Amino acid sequence: MQKAHLYEAILLVNRGIDDAVRGLERLKRAKESGLNPAYFDEKLTLFEVHRALLNSYFCNNVEGIELRDEGRFAKRHREHEKRMLDEVQVYQDVKAMEENRRIEGRAPRVRFLSSDEQREWERQYPKPSSDVASEMPHREGEQR
């Protein structure tokens, strides 16, 4: 049984108990029937006791299922994250590589711009609008 079916089943049980409680309430209010209202109060209480016990049992058991699923999916997510490049980690890796090149006396492959240099670069090379970008030629194999 899928989870949605479990939750739907407990919903149906609770709706059924709601219907039964409404029916008992109507019988209790029926004046001409000669029925004892105290009898219905006792039965209403029993319905609610059984509803509470059933819901408690359901929640305790479903909690275990949910916790197992959370653990299983969290593990899969961690494995996925290991495969993906983290942009901060990429930046740190490039910075470390450039530092090693500097220590070895080699020319840098990447240059990190200061904030002022970045603003000047952005002023000189503004981002193209979407219309211009779509008309620009693309290299073979490059995604558009």
Side-chain angles (χ1 to χ4, degrees):
M1 198 179 230
Q2 296 291 326
K3 280 190 217 178
H5 296 294
L6 290 173
Y7 287 102
E8 184 180 20
I10 197 68
L11 171 69
L12 291 173
V13 167
N14 277 285
R15 279 187 183 162
I17 293 172
D18 287 342
D19 289 343
V21 166
R22 277 193 298 276
L24 288 172
E25 290 281 350
R26 286 180 71 182
L27 288 171
K28 182 176 127 177
R29 288 190 308 266
K31 302 258 189 262
E32 301 96 28
S33 68
L35 300 172
N36 183 356
Y39 178 83
F40 293 107
D41 284 337
E42 177 193 358
K43 299 307 173 193
L44 286 169
T45 303
L46 280 175
F47 269 102
E48 293 299 342
V49 165
H50 287 290
R51 179 203 311 251
L53 289 170
L54 182 63
N55 285 336
S56 174
Y57 176 76
F58 174 79
C59 290
N60 286 329
N61 284 286
V62 169
E63 178 185 28
I65 294 168
E66 296 293 356
L67 289 173
R68 280 192 303 277
D69 282 351
E70 185 275 333
R72 183 168 49 96
F73 287 114
K75 181 181 176 186
R76 287 174 56 185
H77 182 69
R78 282 189 302 276
E79 291 168 359
H80 177 72
E81 282 183 325
K82 288 178 187 176
R83 291 191 313 269
M84 302 306 294
L85 289 177
D86 178 4
E87 62 188 29
V88 173
Q89 186 61 48
V90 169
Y91 176 80
Q92 291 171 345
D93 291 347
V94 169
K95 194 171 183 179
M97 182 189 76
E98 290 300 322
E99 181 63 21
N100 287 338
R101 290 181 66 82
R102 187 190 64 75
I103 290 170
E104 294 169 359
R106 296 167 48 197
R109 288 185 182 232
V110 177
R111 180 163 177 266
F112 294 95
L113 302 177
S114 68
S115 297
D116 292 336
E117 291 171 324
Q118 180 69 29
R119 279 192 294 277
E120 178 62 24
W121 187 88
E122 288 171 352
R123 186 186 65 71
Q124 288 179 8
Y125 305 100
K127 292 182 181 178
S129 68
S130 60
D131 295 337
V132 174
S134 64
E135 294 175 9
M136 293 178 65
H138 293 275
R139 289 181 285 193
E140 193 174 323
E142 188 178 57
Q143 290 185 358
R144 293 177 183 225

